[in-house]
Amino acid sequence: MNKFENEMKLEIVSKSNNEAFARITVAAFAAQLDPTIEEIADIKTAVSEAVTNSIIHGYENGEGKITIKAKISENTIYIEISDLGKGIEDVETAKQPLYTSKPDLERSGMGFTIMESFMDEVKVESIVGLGTKVSMKKKIKKESLNPINEGDSINS
Amino acid sequence: MNVRYIEKDKLLYFDLTEEIDHHTTEEIRRRADYEIERYMPKRVIFNFNSVSFMDSAGIGMLLGRYKMVKMIGGELGIINVKKNIRKVLEMCGILKLIPIYETV
């Protein structure tokens, strides 16, 4: 099988109406791996969570830039979402299900939990005062390109 | 979002018409709270028929409305939920509080 590589980079300002733009763009890029509808939904949701975190927590709804990089290598997509915001003091605590540093905003505290269950791998690197980078990967499980058709299996 | 109120059943019905994320929940929240306070319904239904996407911001929004409806002695449910959205709802474990109704 041919090794397939491709890359994209997108920079957005931290405005909430860019959340949809970011997830749709990454989903469109991922489409070349021929994912299932469910796999696309997983990727869109994970991207939306990470971008929203940058806007609400990284920049606290203020001004800033968010960089979204995606790379395809064979049948895996690698996505990196980074901001230059205030950073996360304790990443392990932030990742706990239902934990939110902003309960007044009706946040569910499920962002990292969703990223971790919808993607194969999630890595969070953060330095207080410098920013946060979320790296995720997901393998697109392609159906066999040469499915055995019924006639063949009966004859063999 | 379209809103309908059925007086005889004290049923307040929200037809959600957009993708649900941090951006869109601001407006949904504002409108829903206004209508709930206005009608004081016994039942509130969010119809997800036209919703193709929801992330955890939707969970926060639903939980907030759940608390509000519960406080006035009503109940909150959702209908017509697509598979990918059901997955988010299940993962967050809120279906015990906010059931998916098959029919209204």
Side-chain angles (χ1 to χ4, degrees):
Chain A
M1 213 190 278
N2 288 334
K3 197 172 165 176
F4 185 63
E5 298 229 4
N6 201 355
E7 274 183 52
M8 61 84 77
K9 183 179 163 185
L10 173 72
E11 190 181 84
I12 55 170
V13 294
S14 64
K15 281 183 183 284
S16 65
N17 56 353
N18 279 333
E19 290 157 6
F21 174 65
R23 66 177 176 260
I24 289 163
T25 305
V26 176
F29 181 73
Q32 56 198 301
L33 283 175
D34 199 16
T36 61
I37 290 166
E38 187 174 357
E39 285 166 335
I40 277 287
D42 290 351
I43 291 167
K44 274 169 92 171
T45 311
V47 169
S48 198
E49 297 294 349
V51 170
T52 303
N53 274 353
S54 288
I55 293 172
I56 297 180
H57 301 288
Y59 294 118
E60 299 191 294
N61 291 311
E63 244 178 79
K65 297 260 172 73
I66 300 163
T67 305
I68 297 141
K69 288 185 197 167
K71 186 180 161 185
I72 282 169
S73 180
E74 292 185 53
N75 54 353
T76 301
I77 182 159
Y78 300 82
I79 303 165
E80 207 181 273
I81 293 162
S82 54
D83 65 61
L84 302 172
K86 65 174 226 180
I88 304 167
E89 252 170 62
D90 182 349
V91 171
E92 283 318 303
T93 302
K95 282 164 107 176
Q96 292 304 308
L98 302 174
Y99 172 81
T100 175
S101 57
K102 299 197 187 307
D104 48 315
L105 292 183
E106 282 191 355
R107 302 295 303 158
S108 66
M110 293 301 285
F112 281 123
T113 307
I114 286 176
M115 288 181 237
E116 281 172 344
S117 36
F118 285 16
M119 303 295 281
D120 298 338
E121 250 180 70
V122 178
K123 193 171 80 178
V124 183
E125 296 160 272
S126 191
I127 300 172
V128 173
L130 285 182
T132 301
K133 181 165 90 180
V134 177
S135 313
M136 310 187 272
K137 71 180 238 191
K138 188 176 182 71
K139 188 173 172 185
I140 302 302
K141 295 166 191 73
K142 272 196 187 147
E143 301 289 309
S144 164
L145 291 173
N146 301 303
I148 303 160
N149 70 47
E150 273 175 45
D152 286 349
S153 57
I154 289 164
N155 292 336
S156 60
Chain B
M1 183 166 73
N2 300 314
V3 185
R4 276 182 286 156
Y5 181 64
I6 302 162
E7 176 68 50
K8 70 174 172 63
D9 303 320
K10 291 195 169 304
L11 171 70
L12 183 59
Y13 195 89
F14 295 108
D15 277 313
L16 296 165
T17 48
E18 59 274 272
E19 298 202 330
I20 302 176
D21 61 14
H22 158 243
H23 180 69
T24 60
T25 47
E26 307 257 322
E27 175 60 19
I28 296 169
R29 181 180 286 127
R30 196 190 59 72
R31 181 79 195 278
D33 288 0
Y34 171 78
E35 302 292 351
I36 291 166
E37 279 176 26
R38 179 173 164 202
Y39 292 114
M40 302 296 269
K42 279 280 166 233
R43 273 174 111 191
V44 175
I45 307 281
F46 279 99
N47 179 11
F48 275 73
N49 194 41
S50 310
V51 181
S52 57
F53 177 86
M54 185 182 86
D55 66 15
S56 75
I59 299 294
M61 185 276 291
L62 285 172
L63 280 175
R65 308 296 73 64
Y66 167 79
K67 284 180 199 159
M68 188 176 180
V69 171
K70 185 119 177 142
M71 217 153 60
I72 60 166
E75 48 182 88
L76 177 70
I78 52 185
I79 57 168
N80 297 325
V81 179
K82 290 184 178 63
K83 202 174 147 199
N84 58 311
I85 294 172
R86 184 186 281 262
K87 192 172 166 182
V88 175
L89 291 163
E90 278 171 357
M91 179 169 303
C92 298
I94 71 163
L95 294 177
K96 287 183 214 93
L97 303 175
I98 305 169
I100 298 177
Y101 295 131
E102 295 307 318
T103 51
V104 184

